[in-house]
Amino acid sequence: MTFLLRRLAFYLAAFLVAATINFFLPRLMPGDPIQIMFASAGSELSLENLNALKLTFGFIDAPLHEQYLAYLQSVFTGDLGRSIKYFPLPVTELLGRALIWTVGLMGIATVVSFTLGSLLGVLAAWRRGRLSDSIISLTAIFSSSVPAVVVSLIMLFIFGYTLGWFPNGYAANPLIDPAWNWQYISSVLYHGTLPMLTLVFVLSGGFAVTMRNNMINLLGEDYIVMARAKGLTDNNVMLWYAARNALLPTVSSLAIAIGTILGGSLVTEVVFNYPGLGNTLYQAIIARDYPVIQGQLLIMTGAMLVSNFAVDLSYVLLDPRLKKA
């Protein structure tokens, strides 16, 4: 219990630091979106309209510390203001709509990538020096080195435009009304296939390389030699003795990947015009929609901290000796 409370206090402090940076960063930048809207409107808006705009979007004329306290109150009450680009839509509602698409796409892609990459890493390490090891290692290094934007554009050009196997954008057919029926679900799956394959290709290489290195370091340990000397089958030694222990460092990579899920894959979502959090953040940056940007950064921070906390707990389950650390 002490370990749990200590970690909770640490992550709460980290969240407050991140929220504070999130508050001060936009205010250190020159100008604000309200001034930009006022300037672009020319003589159509009066000073009274300017003050009304500030109140509408939650910009208060008060000392900085009062603004900061009001900001913290809004953060912990879930009131993130209203979007400037999509006014009067609340930020929470806008991000909630995008969240569903991102969690579906990135969540499935991350789970598939972790499973596939870990299995390939185990296989490559177990057959190190052979042809299968060379093929897996080279493919993994290549896939983890190529930028996501390059992979996205190649996939879109080959399978979207040239072969026409998959749609070139959107999360579903816009002519089909959203509903829990097979017609709409199949459309969602069909439109999400190409972005998901792109993410799986990009993410699985890193998991494979990490798992292979961890496995190779463990294969020379005494308990592995002992397991082989006892006559255990290769599958038992590989999966229950080597892979299980090699999985611990790989969990850290998985935590980082899970933490970035709610940030969305900005490049992939923009290339495929997928309506997730990454695409929403991109549109908000272009429009200088600061409430949306701040809300998105808070979600990303919270997701990263929660995933790291979950990893801490999983570490203890996998290796109880860490409780004493």
Side-chain angles (χ1 to χ4, degrees):
M1 183 58 74
T2 304
F3 170 80
L4 180 64
L5 293 176
R6 194 166 60 239
R7 301 308 296 170
L8 276 175
F10 170 78
Y11 285 117
L12 179 60
F15 180 77
L16 285 175
V17 171
T20 302
I21 294 174
N22 197 28
F23 169 80
F24 283 104
L25 198 59
R27 285 160 179 79
L28 294 176
M29 299 173 67
D32 60 60
I34 304 301
Q35 294 289 350
I36 294 172
M37 292 175 64
F38 186 75
S40 61
S43 59
E44 297 179 6
L45 292 177
S46 63
L47 288 176
E48 289 75 14
N49 298 131
L50 175 62
N51 294 328
L53 279 175
K54 286 184 177 179
L55 290 175
T56 301
F57 290 109
F59 289 82
I60 57 178
D61 287 325
L64 197 59
H65 69 279
E66 292 184 13
Q67 294 184 39
Y68 178 65
L69 292 176
Y71 163 77
L72 285 182
Q73 183 180 3
S74 65
V75 167
F76 286 101
T77 57
D79 181 13
L80 301 179
R82 296 183 182 276
S83 167
I84 295 173
K85 179 178 174 62
Y86 301 101
F87 183 81
L89 193 64
V91 172
T92 51
E93 185 175 341
L94 176 65
L95 295 180
R97 293 178 183 178
L99 179 67
I100 298 172
W101 296 109
T102 291
V103 169
L105 176 66
M106 291 290 294
I108 295 174
T110 302
V111 171
V112 173
S113 302
F114 178 74
T115 306
L116 179 64
S118 296
L119 289 176
L120 289 175
V122 170
L123 184 63
W126 194 254
R127 297 178 177 275
R128 63 188 184 283
R130 301 181 186 177
L131 179 62
S132 56
D133 176 29
S134 301
I135 294 174
I136 293 173
S137 298
L138 288 175
T139 305
I141 293 173
F142 174 76
S143 68
S144 59
S145 303
V146 179
V149 62
V150 175
V151 179
S152 301
L153 291 174
I154 291 176
M155 298 282 272
L156 185 64
F157 176 75
I158 295 177
F159 299 106
Y161 287 105
T162 305
L163 298 177
W165 290 356
F166 297 99
N168 300 324
Y170 303 112
N173 188 340
L175 300 178
I176 302 176
D177 293 330
W180 286 105
N181 55 48
W182 176 243
Q183 185 186 22
Y184 185 71
I185 293 174
S186 61
S187 177
V188 171
L189 295 175
Y190 183 45
H191 282 71
T193 300
L194 204 52
M196 193 186 72
L197 290 177
T198 301
L199 291 171
V200 168
F201 181 81
V202 172
L203 296 175
S204 59
F207 289 124
V209 171
T210 304
M211 193 65 183
R212 179 183 180 277
N213 294 337
N214 295 339
M215 279 279 291
I216 288 178
N217 290 332
L218 291 175
L219 288 178
E221 296 289 335
D222 292 340
Y223 67 91
I224 299 291
V225 178
M226 178 63 72
R228 283 175 164 164
K230 289 167 64 178
L232 298 178
T233 63
D234 284 351
N235 286 337
N236 275 334
V237 177
M238 179 175 66
L239 296 177
W240 296 108
Y241 284 77
R244 182 180 177 184
N245 291 307
L247 194 63
L248 195 61
T250 312
V251 173
S252 299
S253 303
L254 177 63
I256 296 173
I258 291 176
T260 57
I261 283 178
L262 296 187
S265 178
L266 192 148
V267 171
T268 304
E269 291 184 1
V270 169
V271 170
F272 291 101
N273 197 19
Y274 200 81
L277 288 172
N279 201 8
T280 302
L281 178 61
Y282 173 72
Q283 300 296 336
I285 292 172
I286 291 178
R288 296 192 179 185
D289 194 342
Y290 290 160
V292 174
I293 296 173
Q294 286 184 310
Q296 173 87 10
L297 293 178
L298 280 176
I299 290 177
M300 293 168 63
T301 303
M304 184 65 75
L305 294 176
V306 170
S307 62
N308 276 280
F309 180 65
V311 169
D312 284 342
L313 296 180
S314 66
Y315 268 24
V316 173
L317 293 176
L318 292 171
D319 189 354
R321 293 174 299 176
L322 293 176
K323 284 181 180 178
K324 301 177 182 177

